[in-house]
Amino acid sequence: MIETQGVAKRYPHGVTALRGVDIEVSKGEFVFVTGPSGAGKTTLLRLLLRQELPDEGHIRIGGWDVGALPRSRVPELRRILGVVFQDFKLIRRKSALENVAYVLNVAGLPPAEQRRRAYEALRGVGLQHRLSTLPDALSGGEQQRVAIARALVSEPEILLADEPTGNLDPDLSVEIMRLFREINARGTTVVVATHDRDMIRRMQRRAIVLERGRVVTGGRPS
Amino acid sequence: MSALLSRLRYFVADAADEWRSNPGVNALATATLASVLFAAGLVLLVVDNVRVRLETWQRDVRVEVYLEDSATDEARDGIRRRLSASPGVSRVAFVTKEEALDRFRRSFGSLADLVPELGENPLPQSFEAFLVPGAGAAAAARSVASSLRGVPGVEDVRFDLEWLDRLDASLRLARAGGAAAALAVLSVVVLVIAGVVRLAVHARREEIDVMLLVGASPALVRGPFLVSGVAQGLAAATIGIVLSEASRRLFLSWAKAAPRAVVDLVASQPLSLRHGLLLAAVGVSVGTAAAWVAVRRASRLP
Ligand SMILES: Nc1ncnc2c1ncn2[C@@H]1O[C@H](COP(=O)(O)OP(=O)(O)OP(=O)(O)O)[C@@H](O)[C@H]1O
Ligand SMILES: [Mg+2]
């Protein structure tokens, strides 16, 4: 489902965020990407989303060569991905419900259906009482849960989540992981970037470990 | 079809929503465009009025052919036929001695008291040959005059050549002035709008990025901004037109004491429909173009 070969990414001012990264994630798998702060977890997800282009190597998602994808087809790629951003990236002038529904609007669903499913998704993360609240009026943890609902609402082929429980208390974290396991059981491939080792231990899934931009272990399914 | 319709509905709803959440930037953009269009409206208003006035005067341009009192009916008919057949003449009217005296009385109110003492009516009967308005009027007047001088029954032929030439020159000047003013206004529009656009892009950059990241196509992102650009252009044009009409009326009521001719020259008529539509078209195209430029760069994918 996801495969990278010899991927390298350098940012301006000489920071090499990733080098020689080879990973493989099978369809339907649930994997963690972990490593210390600055190891390159977010950068890897940005490349998968075609938010950036790699300086070297190839990235394949589904049948697509992400790096060689023509610009006009980038939206198609992004529509099969559900993404929880580390900094949430909510639209500030839209309410929680509208933020979640926007993904379904993008997919061309009728407005009534958008609202119904967005409501269900928000209820799933325990925010049914915050539907019309603007992001700025939500706590960090609430914003994060809106971002999670938005990533799950379209039942994407692949879920990419960057520190999805970073602002949540332990009970909520467990609850979110349960949602991820559920969607994974329905067929979505799940990739979670985190430095929460306890969570990884509890979930007992493969962990791809990054360290200073290189894959230390777990790059391929065993 | 219904999918297209609901897209359009979304564009409109989202544009309205965006307006509510960024009232400052949107109001600034609309007000800027509106004040430029207001200035343009005032210029066009004056141009329109001057033009209408000049054209009215031009319609009045005529050659007067005075007849001898002794002229026979035959001679008179011959002169009338000759005038009607002359190129550049649109209409021929006959003025009797009595009408001539009437006109004299009317135009020289206080002097009219002298008239009873004149005894017999001294004014001649005449033909008035009105000329087709336009640049050829002066030449037509000259040829009509020269072809009639010396014809039996004709006492004198008169027309105001200097006045005709002046009228032609003023018309040309008014047109050139209007074009220059339009050009100046347009360059100001472009400069001002470029600045406002930069502001608008800045205000929207972040959300555009997010929309694209969750899979929106550039077209979906651009739609609401374009709708909003069209709406802003229309609103600005309406404000501009309403303000210039209001200023015209204000000027009329304020300038009551000023010489009638001057007031009439610049403000007797509202903006012409043609120029009103022109303002609306400029408003809408500038609004749309600005939105397009703003959102196009920001919504380009990597
Ligand atoms: N836009 C950028 N410009 C320059 N350098 C960057 C940029 N983004 C990330 N980096 C650098 O690339 C390296 C990897 O960053 P990245 O965000 O991928 O790490 P991370 O593993 O997600 O860290 P964290 O756990 O703190 O989120 C870091 O050294 C970071 O400073
Ligand atoms: Mg990170």
Side-chain angles (χ1 to χ4, degrees), chain A residues 49-53 71-72 74-76 78-79 83 85 89-94 98 102-103 105-108 111 150, chain B residues 6-7 9-10 14-15 17-18 21-22 206-207 209-218 220-221 224-225 300-302:
Chain A
L49 189 58
R50 175 78 184 246
Q51 209 175 342
E52 310 264 7
L53 286 166
R71 243 184 225 172
S72 60
V74 169
E76 282 175 64
R78 291 179 177 173
R79 270 173 237 160
V83 187
F85 298 94
K89 294 201 191 299
L90 300 176
I91 299 170
R92 295 177 60 184
R93 69 177 168 89
K94 289 186 185 289
E98 288 166 342
Y102 189 76
V103 185
N105 179 15
V106 163
R150 180 178 65 184
Chain B
S6 76
R7 264 288 124 92
R9 220 176 359 238
Y10 158 72
D14 195 62
D17 182 52
E18 201 273 335
S21 52
N22 290 322
E206 197 184 273
E207 78 169 57
D209 281 348
V210 175
M211 288 169 170
L212 292 172
L213 279 176
V214 300
S217 63
L220 187 72
V221 173
F225 293 116
R300 202 175 287 156
L301 288 160

Coordinates of all heavy atoms in Angstrom, one line a residue, chain A residues 49-53 71-72 74-76 78-79 83 85 89-94 98 102-103 105-108 111 150, chain B residues 6-7 9-10 14-15 17-18 21-22 206-207 209-218 220-221 224-225 300-302:
Chain A
L49 N 2.0 12.8 1.7 CA 0.8 13.6 1.3 C 1.1 14.5 0.1 O 0.2 15.2 -0.3 CB 0.5 14.4 2.6 CG -0.8 15.2 2.6 CD1 -2.0 14.4 2.4 CD2 -0.9 16.0 3.9
R50 N 2.3 14.4 -0.3 CA 2.8 15.3 -1.4 C 2.7 16.8 -1.0 O 2.3 17.6 -1.8 CB 2.0 15.0 -2.7 CG 2.2 15.9 -3.9 CD 3.4 15.6 -4.7 NE 3.5 16.6 -5.8 CZ 3.4 16.3 -7.1 NH1 3.3 15.1 -7.5 NH2 3.4 17.3 -7.9
Q51 N 2.9 17.0 0.3 CA 3.0 18.4 0.7 C 4.4 18.9 0.3 O 4.6 20.1 0.2 CB 2.8 18.4 2.2 CG 2.2 19.7 2.8 CD 2.0 19.6 4.3 OE1 1.9 18.5 4.8 NE2 1.8 20.7 5.0
E52 N 5.3 18.0 0.2 CA 6.7 18.3 -0.2 C 7.1 17.2 -1.2 O 6.5 16.1 -1.2 CB 7.7 18.2 0.9 CG 7.3 18.9 2.2 CD 7.9 20.3 2.2 OE1 8.6 20.7 1.2 OE2 7.8 21.0 3.3
L53 N 8.1 17.5 -2.1 CA 8.6 16.5 -3.0 C 9.9 16.0 -2.4 O 10.7 16.8 -1.8 CB 8.8 17.1 -4.3 CG 7.5 17.4 -5.1 CD1 7.8 18.2 -6.3 CD2 6.9 16.0 -5.6
R71 N 0.5 17.5 -11.1 CA -0.2 18.4 -10.2 C -1.7 18.2 -10.1 O -2.3 18.2 -9.1 CB 0.1 19.8 -10.6 CG 0.8 20.6 -9.7 CD 0.9 22.0 -10.2 NE 2.3 22.4 -10.1 CZ 2.8 23.6 -10.6 NH1 2.0 24.3 -11.4 NH2 4.0 23.9 -10.4
S72 N -2.3 18.0 -11.3 CA -3.7 18.0 -11.4 C -4.3 16.8 -10.7 O -5.5 16.8 -10.4 CB -4.1 18.0 -12.9 OG -3.6 16.8 -13.5
V74 N -3.0 15.5 -7.8 CA -2.7 15.5 -6.4 C -4.0 15.5 -5.5 O -4.0 14.7 -4.5 CB -1.8 16.7 -6.0 CG1 -1.7 16.9 -4.5 CG2 -0.5 16.6 -6.6
P75 N -5.1 16.2 -5.8 CA -6.3 16.1 -5.0 C -6.8 14.7 -4.9 O -7.3 14.3 -3.9 CB -7.3 17.0 -5.7 CG -6.4 18.0 -6.4 CD -5.2 17.3 -6.9
E76 N -6.7 13.9 -6.0 CA -7.2 12.5 -6.0 C -6.4 11.7 -4.9 O -7.0 10.9 -4.2 CB -7.0 11.9 -7.3 CG -8.0 12.2 -8.4 CD -7.6 11.6 -9.7 OE1 -7.6 10.3 -9.8 OE2 -7.3 12.3 -10.7
R78 N -4.8 12.9 -2.3 CA -5.2 13.4 -1.0 C -6.5 12.9 -0.5 O -6.8 12.8 0.7 CB -5.1 14.9 -0.9 CG -3.6 15.3 -1.0 CD -3.5 16.8 -1.0 NE -2.1 17.2 -1.1 CZ -1.6 18.4 -1.2 NH1 -2.5 19.4 -1.3 NH2 -0.3 18.7 -1.2
R79 N -7.4 12.6 -1.5 CA -8.8 12.2 -1.1 C -8.8 10.8 -0.6 O -9.8 10.4 0.1 CB -9.8 12.4 -2.2 CG -10.4 13.8 -2.2 CD -11.2 14.0 -3.4 NE -10.8 15.2 -4.1 CZ -11.0 15.5 -5.3 NH1 -11.7 14.7 -6.1 NH2 -10.6 16.7 -5.8
V83 N -5.9 12.6 7.1 CA -4.7 13.0 7.8 C -5.1 13.8 9.1 O -5.9 14.7 9.1 CB -3.9 13.9 6.9 CG1 -2.6 14.2 7.6 CG2 -3.6 13.3 5.6
F85 N -3.2 16.2 11.4 CA -1.9 17.0 11.4 C -1.5 17.2 12.9 O -2.3 17.4 13.8 CB -2.1 18.3 10.7 CG -2.4 18.1 9.2 CD1 -3.7 18.1 8.8 CD2 -1.4 17.9 8.3 CE1 -4.0 17.9 7.5 CE2 -1.7 17.8 7.0 CZ -3.0 17.7 6.5
K89 N -4.4 22.0 11.9 CA -4.8 22.6 10.6 C -6.3 22.6 10.4 O -6.9 22.1 9.4 CB -4.2 21.9 9.4 CG -2.6 22.0 9.4 CD -2.1 21.8 8.0 CE -0.6 21.7 8.0 NZ 0.1 22.9 8.5
L90 N -7.0 23.2 11.4 CA -8.5 23.4 11.2 C -8.7 24.8 10.5 O -7.8 25.7 10.6 CB -9.2 23.4 12.5 CG -9.0 22.1 13.3 CD1 -9.7 22.2 14.7 CD2 -9.6 20.9 12.5
I91 N -9.8 24.9 9.8 CA -10.1 26.2 9.1 C -10.8 27.0 10.2 O -11.8 26.7 10.8 CB -11.1 25.9 7.9 CG1 -10.4 25.1 6.9 CG2 -11.5 27.3 7.3 CD1 -11.3 24.6 5.8
R92 N -10.2 28.2 10.5 CA -10.5 28.9 11.7 C -11.9 29.6 11.6 O -12.5 29.9 12.6 CB -9.5 30.0 12.0 CG -8.1 29.4 12.3 CD -7.1 30.4 12.5 NE -7.5 31.3 13.6 CZ -6.7 32.4 13.9 NH1 -5.6 32.6 13.3 NH2 -7.1 33.2 14.9
R93 N -12.4 29.9 10.4 CA -13.7 30.5 10.3 C -14.8 29.5 10.2 O -16.0 29.9 10.0 CB -13.7 31.5 9.1 CG -13.7 30.9 7.8 CD -13.8 31.9 6.7 NE -13.5 31.3 5.4 CZ -14.3 30.7 4.6 NH1 -15.6 30.6 5.0 NH2 -14.0 30.2 3.5
K94 N -14.5 28.2 10.2 CA -15.6 27.2 10.1 C -15.7 26.5 11.4 O -14.8 26.3 12.2 CB -15.2 26.2 9.0 CG -15.4 26.8 7.6 CD -15.2 25.7 6.6 CE -15.2 26.2 5.1 NZ -16.5 26.6 4.7
E98 N -18.6 22.1 10.4 CA -18.2 22.5 9.1 C -16.8 22.0 8.7 O -16.6 21.6 7.5 CB -18.3 24.0 8.9 CG -19.8 24.5 8.9 CD -19.8 26.0 9.1 OE1 -18.8 26.6 9.5 OE2 -20.9 26.6 8.8
Y102 N -16.4 19.5 5.6 CA -15.7 20.0 4.4 C -15.1 18.9 3.6 O -15.1 18.9 2.3 CB -14.6 21.0 4.8 CG -14.0 21.7 3.6 CD1 -14.7 22.7 2.9 CD2 -12.8 21.3 3.1 CE1 -14.2 23.3 1.8 CE2 -12.3 22.0 1.9 CZ -13.0 22.9 1.3 OH -12.5 23.6 0.2
V103 N -14.5 17.9 4.2 CA -13.9 16.7 3.5 C -14.9 16.0 2.7 O -14.6 15.5 1.6 CB -13.3 15.7 4.5 CG1 -12.6 14.6 3.8 CG2 -12.4 16.4 5.5
N105 N -17.7 17.5 1.5 CA -18.0 18.4 0.5 C -17.0 18.3 -0.7 O -17.4 18.2 -1.9 CB -17.9 19.8 1.1 CG -18.2 20.9 0.0 OD1 -18.7 20.6 -1.0 ND2 -17.8 22.2 0.3
V106 N -15.7 18.1 -0.3 CA -14.7 17.9 -1.3 C -15.0 16.6 -2.1 O -14.8 16.6 -3.3 CB -13.3 17.8 -0.6 CG1 -12.3 17.1 -1.5 CG2 -12.9 19.1 -0.1
A107 N -15.5 15.6 -1.4 CA -15.8 14.4 -2.1 C -17.1 14.4 -2.9 O -17.5 13.5 -3.6 CB -15.9 13.2 -1.1
G108 N -17.8 15.5 -2.8 CA -19.0 15.8 -3.6 C -20.3 15.2 -3.0 O -21.3 15.0 -3.7
P111 N -25.2 18.0 0.8 CA -25.1 18.7 2.0 C -25.7 18.0 3.2 O -25.1 18.0 4.3 CB -25.7 20.1 1.8 CG -25.6 20.3 0.3 CD -25.7 18.9 -0.3
R150 N -12.3 14.6 11.4 CA -12.2 15.0 10.0 C -11.4 13.9 9.2 O -11.7 13.7 8.1 CB -11.5 16.4 9.9 CG -11.3 16.8 8.4 CD -10.7 18.2 8.3 NE -9.3 18.1 8.8 CZ -8.5 19.2 8.9 NH1 -9.0 20.4 8.5 NH2 -7.3 19.1 9.3
Chain B
S6 N -25.7 22.5 -6.5 CA -25.4 22.5 -5.1 C -23.9 23.0 -4.9 O -23.6 23.6 -3.8 CB -25.6 21.1 -4.4 OG -24.5 20.2 -4.8
R7 N -23.0 22.8 -5.9 CA -21.7 23.4 -5.8 C -21.8 24.9 -5.8 O -21.2 25.6 -5.0 CB -20.9 23.0 -7.1 CG -20.0 21.8 -7.0 CD -18.8 22.1 -6.2 NE -18.6 21.2 -5.1 CZ -17.9 20.1 -5.2 NH1 -17.3 19.7 -6.2 NH2 -17.9 19.2 -4.1
R9 N -24.4 26.6 -4.9 CA -24.9 27.1 -3.7 C -23.9 27.1 -2.6 O -23.8 28.1 -1.8 CB -26.1 26.1 -3.3 CG -27.2 26.9 -2.7 CD -28.5 26.2 -2.3 NE -28.5 24.8 -2.6 CZ -29.4 24.2 -3.3 NH1 -30.3 24.9 -3.9 NH2 -29.3 22.9 -3.5
Y10 N -23.0 26.1 -2.6 CA -21.9 26.1 -1.6 C -21.0 27.3 -1.8 O -20.6 28.0 -0.8 CB -21.1 24.8 -1.7 CG -19.7 25.0 -1.2 CD1 -19.5 25.1 0.2 CD2 -18.6 25.1 -2.0 CE1 -18.3 25.3 0.8 CE2 -17.3 25.2 -1.5 CZ -17.2 25.3 -0.1 OH -15.9 25.5 0.4
D14 N -20.5 29.9 1.1 CA -19.2 30.0 1.7 C -18.6 31.4 1.5 O -17.9 31.9 2.4 CB -18.2 29.0 1.1 CG -16.9 28.8 1.9 OD1 -17.0 28.4 3.0 OD2 -15.9 29.2 1.3
A15 N -18.9 32.0 0.4 CA -18.5 33.4 0.2 C -19.1 34.3 1.2 O -18.4 35.2 1.8 CB -18.9 33.9 -1.2
D17 N -20.2 33.4 4.2 CA -19.6 33.1 5.5 C -18.2 33.7 5.6 O -17.8 34.2 6.7 CB -19.4 31.5 5.5 CG -18.9 31.1 6.8 OD1 -19.4 31.5 7.9 OD2 -17.9 30.3 6.8
E18 N -17.4 33.7 4.5 CA -16.1 34.3 4.5 C -16.2 35.8 4.8 O -15.4 36.4 5.5 CB -15.4 34.0 3.2 CG -13.9 34.1 3.3 CD -13.4 35.5 3.0 OE1 -14.1 36.3 2.4 OE2 -12.3 35.8 3.5
S21 N -16.8 36.4 8.4 CA -15.6 36.2 9.3 C -14.4 37.1 9.0 O -13.6 37.3 9.9 CB -15.2 34.7 9.3 OG -15.0 34.3 8.0
N22 N -14.4 37.7 7.8 CA -13.3 38.7 7.6 C -13.9 40.0 7.1 O -13.6 40.5 6.0 CB -12.4 38.2 6.5 CG -11.5 37.1 6.9 OD1 -11.0 37.0 8.1 ND2 -11.3 36.1 6.0
E206 N -3.8 30.8 4.8 CA -3.7 29.6 5.7 C -4.9 28.6 5.4 O -4.7 27.4 5.3 CB -3.9 30.1 7.1 CG -3.5 29.1 8.2 CD -3.7 29.7 9.6 OE1 -2.8 30.4 10.1 OE2 -4.8 29.5 10.1
E207 N -6.1 29.2 5.2 CA -7.2 28.3 5.0 C -7.2 27.6 3.7 O -7.6 26.5 3.5 CB -8.5 29.0 5.3 CG -9.0 29.9 4.2 CD -10.4 30.3 4.4 OE1 -10.7 30.9 5.4 OE2 -11.3 30.1 3.5
D209 N -4.5 26.7 2.1 CA -3.5 25.6 2.3 C -4.2 24.4 2.9 O -4.1 23.2 2.5 CB -2.4 26.0 3.2 CG -1.3 26.8 2.5 OD1 -1.4 26.9 1.2 OD2 -0.5 27.4 3.1
V210 N -5.0 24.6 4.0 CA -5.7 23.5 4.6 C -6.7 22.8 3.7 O -6.7 21.6 3.6 CB -6.5 24.0 5.9 CG1 -7.2 22.9 6.5 CG2 -5.5 24.6 6.9
M211 N -7.4 23.6 3.0 CA -8.4 23.1 2.0 C -7.7 22.1 1.0 O -8.2 21.0 0.7 CB -9.2 24.2 1.3 CG -10.1 24.9 2.2 SD -10.8 26.4 1.4 CE -12.1 26.9 2.6
L212 N -6.6 22.6 0.5 CA -5.9 21.8 -0.5 C -5.4 20.5 0.2 O -5.4 19.4 -0.5 CB -4.8 22.6 -1.1 CG -5.2 23.7 -2.0 CD1 -4.0 24.6 -2.4 CD2 -6.0 23.2 -3.2
L213 N -4.9 20.6 1.4 CA -4.3 19.4 2.1 C -5.4 18.3 2.3 O -5.0 17.2 2.4 CB -3.7 19.9 3.4 CG -2.3 20.5 3.3 CD1 -1.8 20.9 4.6 CD2 -1.3 19.5 2.6
V214 N -6.6 18.7 2.5 CA -7.6 17.7 2.7 C -8.3 17.2 1.4 O -9.3 16.6 1.4 CB -8.7 18.1 3.8 CG1 -8.0 18.3 5.1 CG2 -9.5 19.2 3.3
G215 N -7.7 17.6 0.3 CA -8.1 17.0 -1.0 C -8.9 17.9 -1.9 O -9.4 17.4 -2.9
A216 N -9.1 19.2 -1.5 CA -9.9 20.0 -2.4 C -9.2 20.3 -3.6 O -8.0 20.5 -3.6 CB -10.2 21.3 -1.6
S217 N -9.9 20.3 -4.8 CA -9.3 20.7 -6.0 C -9.2 22.2 -6.0 O -9.9 22.9 -5.4 CB -10.2 20.3 -7.2 OG -11.4 20.9 -7.1
P218 N -8.2 22.7 -6.8 CA -8.0 24.2 -6.8 C -9.4 24.9 -7.2 O -9.7 26.0 -6.7 CB -7.0 24.4 -7.9 CG -6.1 23.2 -7.8 CD -7.1 22.1 -7.5
L220 N -12.4 24.0 -6.5 CA -13.3 24.1 -5.4 C -12.9 25.2 -4.4 O -13.7 25.9 -3.8 CB -13.4 22.8 -4.6 CG -14.4 22.7 -3.5 CD1 -15.8 22.6 -4.1 CD2 -14.1 21.5 -2.6
V221 N -11.6 25.4 -4.3 CA -11.1 26.5 -3.4 C -11.4 27.8 -4.0 O -11.7 28.8 -3.3 CB -9.6 26.3 -3.2 CG1 -9.0 27.4 -2.4 CG2 -9.3 25.0 -2.4
P224 N -15.6 30.0 -4.2 CA -16.2 31.0 -3.3 C -15.5 32.4 -3.4 O -16.1 33.4 -3.4 CB -15.9 30.5 -1.9 CG -15.8 29.0 -2.1 CD -15.2 28.8 -3.5
F225 N -14.2 32.4 -3.7 CA -13.5 33.6 -3.8 C -13.9 34.4 -5.0 O -14.0 35.6 -5.0 CB -12.0 33.4 -3.8 CG -11.4 32.9 -2.5 CD1 -10.9 31.6 -2.4 CD2 -11.5 33.6 -1.4 CE1 -10.4 31.1 -1.2 CE2 -11.1 33.2 -0.1 CZ -10.5 31.9 -0.1
R300 N -2.2 27.1 -5.9 CA -1.4 26.2 -6.8 C -0.8 25.1 -6.0 O -0.3 25.3 -4.9 CB -0.3 27.0 -7.5 CG 0.1 26.3 -8.8 CD 1.1 27.2 -9.5 NE 0.5 28.3 -10.2 CZ 1.2 29.4 -10.5 NH1 2.4 29.6 -10.1 NH2 0.5 30.4 -11.1
L301 N -0.9 23.9 -6.5 CA -0.4 22.7 -5.8 C 1.1 22.6 -6.1 O 1.6 23.0 -7.1 CB -1.1 21.5 -6.3 CG -2.6 21.4 -5.8 CD1 -3.4 20.4 -6.6 CD2 -2.6 20.9 -4.3
P302 N 1.9 21.9 -5.1 CA 3.3 21.7 -5.3 C 3.6 20.7 -6.5 O 2.7 19.8 -6.7 CB 3.8 21.1 -4.0 CG 2.6 20.5 -3.4 CD 1.4 21.3 -3.9

